[in-house]
Amino acid sequence: PLRIVTLNVLMDSRNPSKPCCDIPEVLQHKRRFRKSLQELERADADVIGLNEVTHYFLRMLTEEAWVRKSYMLSTVCSEEEPENTAVSRKFGNVLLSRVPVASLRHIQMPNGRQAEAAIIHTSHNGLRVRTMVTSVHLTAFPTQVAQRANELQSLTSRLAMVDEWDLAVVLGDFNFHREAESSSIPDGWVELPAALGKYTFDMAKNPMIRHYLPKIWWGAGWSLLWPVQMRLDRFIVMSKNCGSHVDLHASSVELFADAPVREGPSHEMTEPTGMLMKVFAFLPSLVQHLWSHRRQPWEEYLFPSDHFGLVIDLALISETNFKAKL
């Protein structure tokens, strides 16, 4: 199978002239990034899609021996006039591929960001496949449902106009805050069934989220009773009506970069069960949250990012076998 991974690395700064300046004492950017790079190397992927890559993270990435040896990047730090201007301006998406890249596109999105699209030529069980892999980061905030749907529709419409692919993949931080947003996935595009239940933003398992967000934010009180769990990061595929197809049920999806920076006993937080127990536990939890907020040692909460990543093993089948399964 073709192995593809996606990870939002959580930017270190909105100002490229001041790297690692976003609450550095809490987010410990260099420590997090080192862990992310270790996890990415361990994932052993054919294609990697990254979101929120800053110039600082990109420099760390390109200094890695495993990257320099095996991967082509969609942008590098030394470019005098980079086509991927998002990374140099603030943060953006970056693709890495150890499969030869036939072409690369930098696609301007309605939200001002750029999507990175690469066409790679691969062979699977005798099938020669032209695959387009696109890394995207849609608009955030719970209320921006229509905006995200518009961005995704705009992107997939533009990809459909490209002739040089048999199979297309769009992956990255879709920022889908509710499962109902899955209905905005355009016609002809599908998610892998194995992705269901794989929460990439999970306050029950990642204590760093609650620790670095402001004391008072849209989900602060609610999250103390019911930890927020969302599939913000998605992976959708589309096949043309000839050649190869994705075997949806033979393809797998797993989480990665979901262990704390300092590995040890499980960091999954235990929550009281039952409505009455939750109500009684709320006030002590709130007091504890307010008191310890941004005061804990990094060893107790630090994760590689506020997102977990996804590892996708994409199984392909021929047109004949695909029709036989229908």
Side-chain angles (χ1 to χ4, degrees), residues 20 22 37 45 73 113 134 154 195 232 250 261 275 277 280-282 309-310 316:
C20 298
D22 284 6
L37 293 170
L73 282 76
R113 295 173 179 172
T134 304
S154 172
L232 294 184
V261 171
M275 178 64 71
M277 291 299 293
F280 279 126
F282 175 72
L310 295 174
L316 303 181

Side-chain angles (χ1 to χ4, degrees), residues 79-113:
E79 287 183 289
E80 291 185 6
E81 295 183 4
E83 292 184 60
N84 184 339
T85 57
V87 173
S88 56
R89 287 199 320 264
K90 189 186 293 184
F91 62 85
N93 306 309
V94 172
L95 280 174
L96 297 84
S97 177
R98 66 182 179 193
V99 181
V101 174
S103 66
L104 181 67
R105 288 172 168 79
H106 309 280
I107 302 171
Q108 196 66 33
M109 295 287 291
N111 61 2
R113 295 173 179 172

